[in-house]
Amino acid sequence: MAHYPSPNVETDHIEPAPRRVRGLLNNAVIFDTTRAVYVWEWPPYPQYYIPYADIDRRYFVDENHEQALRRGTARRHGVRAGDVDRPGTAWLFGADALDGLDGMVRFDWKALDAWYEEDEEIFVHPRSPYSRVDALRSRRVVRIEIEGVVLAESSSPVMVFETGLPTRYYLDRTSIDFANLRPSDTETACPYKGRTTGYWTAVINGQRYPDLAWTYDFPTQQLAPIAGLIAFYNEKVDVFLDGVLQDRPRTHFS
C-alpha cells in the first residue's frame, strides 16, 4: 500500500479546461483557445484536446490517413511551421468519437516547442485539476544514505507533497556531502515545478548510482520554496525521517 494519496480519476474522463491554452512551433502560434478540454487518457493526469476551429490551418497538414483509435476514428495530421516539420503528431476526431471529442484534435506533447496556460509555459503534460503540490518547510530530520554512506542530513527540509507521488525532501546545499556526488548532464521537466537545472550521480566504493539527485534553481512560482535545494529519489536511496527508515516507493518521477 502506498503511503501517499493517488488521483481517483477514471480513464476517458473528460472535463472543460477553464483557461487559455496555446501551442507554439518555430515561434508560430499553432492554436490559441479558451475551449480546450481535459481528457484523462490514463488516471494520473490529463491531456489537452483542442477544437479544430481554433487551430491555424496554415500549420496543420492533413496526411489523408484515418485510424480507428480507442476514443474514435481520427484523421492523422502533421504540424509544419517554416522549416520545422512534425509529421504524424496530431489526430482530428470525427463523429463517432467519445461524447465531447467530435471535432477535437489531440496533439502529441512533443509536436510543439512550447505549451502555455494563460501566459505561463507548462511542461510534460497539463496540470491535473484534481492534483495539488505543496512545498512546506519542516524541522523534521531527514538523512539520506546509500549502503550506509551518508549523502545528506538536514533538520530544515522543504517537504514537497504531490498527489500521486511520495513525499520529496528538498535540502539545503550545505546539508549535502558532495564528496560522493558527480554532476550529470541529465535534464527533466515537471508540469508543476518546471525544468531541472542540475542532476547528480553518486559513486560509492566504485559503484555508480546514476541520476539520483536533482535541483530546480528556477522553479515555478508555486514551488518557489525549493529553489536551489536538492532532492533525492526515495526509490534509489535510504531515507531516514526522524531516525526511522522509510519504505522505498516504486514510482520514479521528480
Side-chain angles (χ1 to χ4, degrees), residues 31 36-37 46 62 72 94 102 124 140 182 205 221 226 234:
F31 59 80
V37 297
D62 189 346
D102 180 12
V124 187
R140 303 179 74 179
R182 307 289 183 269
N205 298 322
Q221 180 178 353
I226 70 170
N234 313 41

Side-chain angles (χ1 to χ4, degrees), residues 28-181:
V29 179
I30 308 303
F31 59 80
D32 186 344
T33 184
T34 57
R35 300 184 299 158
V37 297
Y38 295 117
V39 179
W40 273 261
E41 298 178 337
W42 69 309
Y45 56 81
Q47 177 60 275
Y48 278 131
Y49 281 52
I50 308 298
Y52 177 64
D54 294 340
I55 295 171
D56 192 325
R57 316 295 166 71
R58 294 175 297 172
Y59 309 117
F60 203 50
V61 182
D62 189 346
E63 297 180 352
N64 298 308
H65 179 76
E66 286 194 344
Q67 293 178 269
L69 303 178
R70 172 189 173 95
R71 295 168 184 87
T73 303
R75 194 172 180 90
R76 193 176 70 196
H77 288 68
V79 187
R80 182 185 301 140
D83 59 356
V84 179
D85 189 13
R86 305 275 169 81
T89 54
W91 286 262
L92 170 60
F93 283 84
D96 69 344
L98 292 180
D99 187 29
L101 297 188
D102 180 12
M104 303 297 283
V105 177
R106 194 269 192 203
F107 288 87
D108 285 349
W109 196 262
K110 292 184 178 180
L112 305 173
D113 292 336
W115 293 70
Y116 287 86
E117 290 178 349
E118 299 299 336
D119 289 322
E120 292 192 7
E121 186 175 3
I122 58 174
F123 307 94
V124 187
H125 59 75
R127 300 164 183 166
S128 172
Y130 299 125
S131 297
R132 63 177 296 155
V133 183
D134 297 311
L136 306 181
R137 299 187 182 277
S138 176
R139 292 184 181 178
R140 303 179 74 179
V141 177
V142 176
R143 187 171 77 253
I144 307 296
E145 296 185 4
I146 292 181
E147 303 297 336
V149 176
V150 177
L151 299 178
E153 186 165 9
S154 174
S155 59
S156 57
V158 172
M159 301 171 69
V160 173
F161 302 93
E162 180 175 346
T163 305
L165 288 178
T167 305
R168 301 302 192 192
Y169 307 96
Y170 284 78
L171 313 178
D172 290 320
R173 292 182 183 233
T174 53
S175 302
I176 311 296
D177 183 355
F178 287 95
N180 296 302
L181 298 178

Side-chain angles (χ1 to χ4, degrees), residues 3-24:
H3 297 285
Y4 47 88
S6 60
N8 185 22
V9 184
E10 294 183 357
T11 300
D12 292 335
H13 182 64
I14 299 172
E15 292 279 7
R19 58 192 69 194
R20 182 186 184 190
V21 180
R22 286 173 288 168
L24 277 67

Side-chain angles (χ1 to χ4, degrees), residues 141-146 152 159 166-169 171 212 231-249:
V141 177
V142 176
R143 187 171 77 253
I144 307 296
E145 296 185 4
I146 292 181
M159 301 171 69
T167 305
R168 301 302 192 192
Y169 307 96
L171 313 178
L212 52 66
F232 292 79
Y233 280 114
N234 313 41
E235 300 87 337
K236 297 183 176 184
V237 299
D238 291 327
V239 177
F240 292 83
L241 183 60
D242 290 334
V244 178
L245 177 63
Q246 305 298 292
D247 293 334
R248 287 195 182 188

Side-chain angles (χ1 to χ4, degrees), residues 187-229:
E187 179 182 285
T188 60
C190 170
Y192 304 98
K193 308 178 197 75
R195 292 190 185 278
T196 58
T197 49
Y199 258 85
W200 288 267
T201 290
V203 180
I204 308 292
N205 298 322
Q207 183 171 348
R208 290 172 55 83
Y209 300 85
D211 295 335
L212 52 66
W214 70 89
T215 189
Y216 294 90
D217 286 328
F218 308 103
T220 59
Q221 180 178 353
Q222 295 84 350
L223 272 293
I226 70 170
L229 306 186

